[in-house]
Each structure stands twice: as C-alpha cells, then as structure tokens.
Amino acid sequence: MRPDGQVRHVSVLLSSTARGARLARLLAVDALRSWEVPYETAGQVVAELAANAATHGRVPGRSFRLTLYVVGATLHVEVTDTRGERRPVLREPDGVAESGRGLFLVEALADRWGVAEGRHPRKTVWAEIDLTPAPAPAPERGTSRFGDVGD
C-alpha cells in the first residue's frame, strides 16, 4: 500500500501465446520495479503462470489476464484463462522431461498459491509472495565501515 493508502495494481489482457507469456513477465517486472518492490522471484512466478495459461489454458482467439497488486507487505499475482475445466495439478517433475516443472517452481517460490474458479469458463491461478525487506548484511568480524579494526 502506498503512503496515501492506495493499493498498487495493474491488470492487462495478453494473447495466449508464448509471446504473450514473455510479455507478461516483462510487464510484471517493469511494474514491480516502478513500485520499488523486489521483482526477481515474482518475475519467475509470473513467467511460469503465464506460460501455463498460454500452453494449457489456451482457447484460440481468447486472451489471458495478468493482474498484480500489492496490499500491505504481500504481492498478489493472478493469471486468468478461459479453460476453467483444465485445472492445474502439481506433480513431481520427471527427471528427463523437458516440461512439467512450472507449478513445482511456483510451489517453491511463492508463499501461497491456489486456483479459483471464475465465471464460466474461466479459472484464476494465483500466487502470493510476502514482501519482506532484505536484512542488511552484517559487518564481518574485525572490520568496520572504516576498514579493518585491530593492530
């Protein structure tokens, strides 16, 4: 939430293609940078959810929607597609398969995630990432900000 109490928010329709999925990640990272929010983990989560929407949630001629918003110290990511009957399933990745790791990565990177049914035929796959400031690095023992301490 901004100091003035407004929620930071962006929502955009993108084509259900590989290009649309890449654009989702780029737009998300750009928005998060402008909001001064950590974007590395979120960018990867958006990339995986958008790729799934473009691959498994694709209906020719229909788009998917990317929505991001920050409330308090939580980033909420939503990707909505028009294949509500195809719910994502978290599976252990096959060691030799070239795909199938998207939700496994989302599970590892996000603090929470799930699927919500929307107005037919839609579904929304969402993820939340807790935004905590990175701890300041501790000074090395025997040093100070002015250089080595000692003899």
Side-chain angles (χ1 to χ4, degrees), residues 14-17 53-64 81-83 85-86 121:
L14 298 158
S15 66
S16 292
T17 62
T55 303
H56 306 293
R58 185 174 193 277
V59 173
R62 295 200 178 164
S63 302
F64 72 90
D81 66 47
T82 54
R83 293 292 300 263
E85 79 282 2
R86 295 189 77 184

Side-chain angles (χ1 to χ4, degrees), residues 6 9 21 56 62-63 74 76-77 96 99 115 131:
Q6 293 182 345
H9 172 269
H56 306 293
R62 295 200 178 164
S63 302
T74 302
H76 192 81
V77 177
V96 295
S99 63
V115 182
L131 304 173

Side-chain angles (χ1 to χ4, degrees), residues 18-34:
R19 178 176 277 175
R22 283 190 303 274
L23 184 56
R25 184 187 62 77
L26 293 171
L27 291 171
V29 166
D30 187 57
L32 296 171
R33 278 183 182 157
S34 73

Side-chain angles (χ1 to χ4, degrees), residues 45 69 74-77 109-114 126-130:
V45 168
Y69 54 95
T74 302
L75 169 65
H76 192 81
V77 177
L109 295 172
D111 293 292
R112 292 162 297 285
W113 75 276
W126 58 268
E128 290 183 338
I129 299 169
D130 294 332

Side-chain angles (χ1 to χ4, degrees), residues 31-66:
L32 296 171
R33 278 183 182 157
S34 73
W35 298 341
E36 298 180 355
V37 170
Y39 57 86
E40 292 84 1
T41 298
Q44 186 65 44
V45 168
V46 168
E48 297 301 336
L49 295 181
N52 282 351
T55 303
H56 306 293
R58 185 174 193 277
V59 173
R62 295 200 178 164
S63 302
F64 72 90
R65 177 174 296 280
L66 168 67

